[in-house]
Amino acid sequence: MLDHGEAPPTTDPSRAENLGLGTRLMRRKPVERLVAEGGQGEGGTLRRSLSMWQLTMISIGATLGTGIFVVLGEATPLAGPAVAISFVIAGLTALFSALSYAELAGSIPVSGSSYSYSYATMGEIVAWICGWCLILEYGVSVAAVAVGWGEYLNELLDGTLGITIPESVSAPLGEGGFINLPALVVILLAMVFLMRGAKESARVNTIMVVVKIVTLVIFCAIGFMGIKAGNYTPLVPLGVTGISAAAATLFFSYIGFDAASTAGEEATNPKRDLPRAIMLSLLIVTVLYCLVALVAVGAMPWQDFEGTEAALAQIMKDVTGHSFWGVVLAAGAVVAIASVVFAVLYGQTRILFAMARDGLIPKVFAKVDARTGSPRANTLIVSLFCGVLAATIPLGELANATSIGTLFAFALVNVAVVILRYTRPDMSRTFRVALFPVTPILGLLFCLYMMFSLPGSTWAVFGAWMIAGLVFYFGYGMRRSRLATAEK
């Protein structure tokens, strides 16, 4: 059955070429076809092996890390002690979108995440734009997270061996070095584990997630003893504008809760487990973020966060007077941030898998290894690309570019859930957004508000990225789309 507005399929490529441009751009992929193609790749299929617990751990693994261990040091100087409020605002924005994600994940349990949801509701060109934004979200955030990993690795090496990695090989050009070698190394390590298959990778990820949750709980317990009431005043030294700017930066911290939705074709019971994993992971992450932020700004004056990318380890040292706890925090952070690299890199490969299966990008990204049941060539290419970014570009620029791409994709998800409710009201849904349509509309408005809180330089990068994506689509994807050629 065709979706409303769906262009009828054709088996003749020449007929597809003769369709009007508007029709070709707005053709939609039926939900039933999206679901039927689940797991199918070039030369093999993805294996269904992930439980609800493992999906939740993937989502937490992709979310909980750099945002609190590293980006906190960049956001606190923007908002002062009110940075905790910024976390709440960013969390609310994520929550509205998470509700929409949960409904769509339970209705369309496929690997493409918001790309696939857009394809089913708004047409091919919107799906392409969304997918292109997801490449920015996942691919660039892997690089950004890897940059932060090197900071805590240095803290760990300094505390245990009394050595640090020379700046020339631990910082990119423009920040005192030539290449960020640790950032490249952590991405390559994640690549090796991912190539072993989803089930094996999920086990490694779960261990790392447990380690980082325990580390943050230890930080809160020790940091609480160092809280000084004076550090909370004035609460809003830089005004509401500062809170908004910090919230836009910190939204980077919530990127990843949607990673569970990218595992839709490898989950054992996706319709039931995906919505649960998305909501549970966001709840756990938000509570931890707010607790850590409150303790951190209470234990160290907000002005001292400027230029500190390993702030939590420094707080542990200052509160206890011993380097041991700083080393423990640094060790936990090394594991925590590595797990983010691991989980987000997984999500990126699965989104590209879905786009390649639809013909919009080269088929090599949809090739599945028969032995491991994973897209190994895809993983190799993506890892090398992200590794080069991480090794050469500063963290701040990467974080902002990631945030705007994510916010745009989340905005489309909120629109998609509204469209699908009205065009396919009888579709089976294992989760429904509460207070519909108010909730997705609020999600859309929050995303737009935070997008416009980002600096002009970030918009310039985003615009250039969009232009490059459209050039690629019109030059390659539009003609090779499976909906255009009706490949079976």
Side-chain angles (χ1 to χ4, degrees), residues 39-47 265-266 349-350 353 357 363-378:
Q40 298 177 19
E42 295 290 324
T45 59
L46 300 177
R47 296 174 183 170
E265 295 171 24
E266 291 164 287
T349 60
R350 270 46 180 186
F353 173 86
R357 184 173 57 201
K363 290 183 179 180
V364 65
F365 290 98
K367 187 175 181 180
V368 177
D369 182 79
R371 183 175 62 85
T372 63
S374 64
R376 299 190 73 178
N378 180 342

Side-chain angles (χ1 to χ4, degrees), residues 228-265:
K228 299 178 178 64
N231 287 340
Y232 291 118
T233 56
L235 181 63
V236 190
L238 301 171
V240 176
T241 302
I243 294 176
S244 298
T249 297
L250 287 170
F251 189 77
F252 174 81
S253 310
Y254 289 93
I255 292 169
F257 73 81
D258 57 324
S261 68
T262 68
E265 295 171 24

Side-chain angles (χ1 to χ4, degrees), residues 8 10 20 29 39 70 177 197 238 266 269 306 398 435:
T10 174
K29 188 171 183 179
V70 179
L238 301 171
E266 291 164 287
N269 191 343
E306 183 76 42
L398 288 172
L435 301 176

Side-chain angles (χ1 to χ4, degrees), residues 314-334:
Q314 185 61 48
I315 290 171
M316 295 280 269
K317 290 180 185 178
D318 294 344
V319 170
T320 62
H322 301 287
S323 61
F324 171 76
W325 289 108
V327 171
V328 170
L329 193 285
V334 166

Side-chain angles (χ1 to χ4, degrees), residues 22 41 63 108 135 162 173 180-181 204 248 260 292 297 304 309 391 396 426 457:
T63 310
I108 314 174
I135 294 173
L173 288 171
N180 192 327
L181 192 58
V204 174
V292 171
V297 296
D304 294 349
E309 292 187 343
D426 299 327
S457 59

Side-chain angles (χ1 to χ4, degrees), residues 31-32 125 128 193 270 288 314 366 414 458:
V31 172
E32 291 78 9
I125 184 62
W128 169 261
F193 281 109
L288 280 172
Q314 185 61 48
N414 285 297
T458 301

Side-chain angles (χ1 to χ4, degrees), residues 31-117:
V31 172
E32 291 78 9
R33 182 170 173 179
L34 279 167
V35 176
E37 291 179 352
Q40 298 177 19
E42 295 290 324
T45 59
L46 300 177
R47 296 174 183 170
R48 292 195 178 276
S49 59
L50 302 179
S51 65
M52 194 274 283
W53 171 252
Q54 290 172 318
L55 293 169
T56 303
M57 291 298 103
I58 287 173
S59 192
I60 295 175
T63 310
L64 186 62
T66 304
I68 198 65
F69 285 104
V70 179
V71 179
L72 178 64
E74 295 194 4
T76 302
L78 298 175
V83 69
I85 299 175
S86 299
F87 267 114
V88 172
I89 294 173
L92 282 173
T93 303
L95 174 62
F96 289 127
S97 296
L99 291 168
S100 295
Y101 262 102
E103 176 167 327
L104 292 173
S107 306
I108 314 174
V110 293
S111 289
S113 185
S114 50
Y115 155 76
S116 294
Y117 309 150

